[in-house]
Amino acid sequence: MADTTTTIHGRTVPTLGLGTYKITGDTCRESVAHAHTMGYRHIDTAQMYQNEAEVGAGIAEAPVAREDIFLTTKVWHTNLAPADVKRTTEESLRALGTDYVDLLLIHWPAHLDSDEDALRRTLDAFVEVHEAGQARHIGVSNFSPKLLDQTVAHLPDEAPLFAHQAEYHPFLSQEPVLQHAREHGYLFTAYRPLARGAVLQNERLRAIGEHHGKTAAQVTVRWLLQQPNVSAIPKAASAAHRVSNLDVFDFTLSDDEMTAIHNLARGERQIDPAFAPAWSEGA
Ligand SMILES: NC(=O)c1ccc[n+]([C@@H]2O[C@H](COP(=O)([O-])OP(=O)(O)OC[C@H]3O[C@@H](n4cnc5c(N)ncnc54)[C@H](OP(=O)(O)O)[C@@H]3O)[C@@H](O)[C@H]2O)c1
């Protein structure tokens, strides 16, 4: 049996979370309520998803205490000026119906990639939000090794980098940023963990799944969670998918199976907008 949690800077984090990008309205509220009723304790949203109110309503509806849920939201890249970080975080909290999030992330570095002073000012605003009790932990998303180095160097010991969220699935190796997370002891959260369903067609993942009586999606989630410091947030609007993705803690992949899945990497970055950073800078 594998652990359903990992410990980061003394805090226990459930490794499997529910992603909510493109789940909106009643479907979002019902998905979040259902997920937490059947065992999820970690949920991922963002200002950009325009579903924070529905995520909050789903949490309120579930028979689980707020303090038992690890809730993440993200500040959009147009809101990274210090005053905007504070104002929009408060808007997020109001929408979510909570006094705090467990994790507040910079969603994309955008202009911060070429302006280290601006990065420092944004990080200082995140530290202030943390000190005000509105974010238990602070982190980043879509950062390069260079940006991660700058972030670790700037943040104070009282509010260290807690997490980096980035695209990670069997078709995209993320070795430099994974190593960085392990070296500095922070969480690496895999987004787009199922390559948006592409893993289902892969023969190797299917064959490994057959051996364990599991699907290719379950093998992929298991492969992610079996790696040190890694959590994963598959999105599932379908209840059957939510149930299936949580059912990955009763089997273990062998070292050979882990390696065979690592060897599927083919540089397939699915999310690469115009405002993305220079991904490999500092690697
Ligand atoms: N920080 C960032 O910039 C960033 C970027 C992208 C995503 N994210 C986060 O990461 C989360 C996950 O990424 P994603 O939504 O892009 O892609 P994903 O989780 O890799 O894939 C979601 C797709 O896989 C399907 N699926 C889920 N479980 C399945 C299963 N057991 N069997 C078969 N199909 C299954 C879903 O179907 P149904 O929905 O129909 O069930 C959906 O079509 C997002 O929701 C978001 O929270 C963050």
Side-chain angles (χ1 to χ4, degrees):
M1 283 285 280
D3 249 348
T4 57
T5 62
T6 187
T7 302
I8 302 293
H9 300 319
R11 170 80 194 267
T12 302
V13 185
T15 49
L16 185 77
L18 179 71
T20 66
Y21 181 45
K22 291 197 187 288
I23 315 187
T24 53
D26 277 349
T27 309
C28 181
R29 180 182 49 75
E30 287 161 15
S31 297
V32 172
H34 169 260
H36 291 92
T37 302
M38 47 94 43
Y40 283 74
R41 293 293 179 269
H42 176 168
I43 178 98
D44 182 80
T45 182
Q47 293 174 348
M48 194 274 264
Y49 302 170
Q50 300 194 324
N51 64 7
E52 289 175 310
E54 290 77 11
V55 167
I59 290 175
E61 213 171 287
V64 181
R66 166 69 188 91
E67 60 266 27
D68 293 333
I69 296 174
F70 191 87
L71 170 62
T72 300
T73 197
K74 318 183 192 79
V75 177
W76 190 235
H77 69 82
T78 51
N79 296 330
L80 294 177
D84 294 336
V85 168
K86 293 177 202 168
R87 178 182 54 79
T88 64
T89 299
E90 283 173 11
E91 286 169 9
S92 290
L93 293 177
R94 266 197 299 281
L96 286 161
T98 184
D99 295 336
Y100 68 95
V101 287
D102 295 278
L103 181 59
L104 185 71
L105 302 178
I106 297 176
H107 200 152
W108 284 91
H111 62 283
L112 307 183
D113 192 31
S114 54
D115 187 346
E116 194 175 350
D117 283 342
L119 172 65
R120 291 199 193 102
R121 287 193 294 275
T122 298
L123 291 171
D124 288 343
F126 270 63
V127 170
E128 284 182 38
V129 166
H130 164 72
E131 284 168 349
Q134 295 170 323
R136 293 270 156 92
H137 307 285
I138 57 178
V140 300
S141 179
N142 298 303
F143 269 35
S144 63
K146 175 198 82 172
L147 285 162
L148 290 164
D149 275 339
Q150 291 172 347
T151 300
V152 167
H154 185 69
L155 286 175
D157 292 346
E158 307 75 58
L161 180 62
F162 190 86
H164 178 209
Q165 184 179 126
E167 179 173 345
Y168 187 35
H169 46 68
F171 309 134
L172 178 67
S173 168
Q174 284 283 28
E175 221 32 54
V177 284
L178 275 165
Q179 283 312 328
H180 197 278
R182 290 178 189 134
E183 193 182 317
H184 295 277
Y186 59 84
L187 184 71
F188 183 94
T189 302
Y191 80 58
R192 189 58 63 95
L194 304 175
R196 210 160 199 181
V199 298
L200 299 171
Q201 319 310 329
N202 186 271
E203 282 310 323
R204 192 176 301 170
L205 295 169
R206 287 159 76 123
I208 293 173
E210 270 166 36
H211 177 67
H212 291 280
K214 297 285 177 181
T215 67
Q218 289 172 315
V219 166
T220 301
V221 174
R222 176 72 235 180
W223 172 75
L224 289 164
L225 301 189
Q226 218 169 289
Q227 301 176 45
N229 292 59
V230 175
S231 76
I233 48 169
K235 171 255 183 185
S238 134
H241 289 161
R242 287 192 292 277
V243 170
S244 174
N245 294 342
L246 194 60
D247 184 20
V248 296
F249 295 103
D250 61 350
F251 74 112
T252 303
L253 297 170
S254 69
D255 289 348
D256 284 350
E257 288 170 327
M258 291 294 288
T259 303
I261 301 171
H262 277 292
N263 288 341
L264 291 172
R266 57 189 185 209
E268 185 177 315
R269 191 182 288 283
Q270 296 189 350
I271 301 193
D272 197 9
F275 50 79
W279 291 112
S280 43
E281 202 173 353

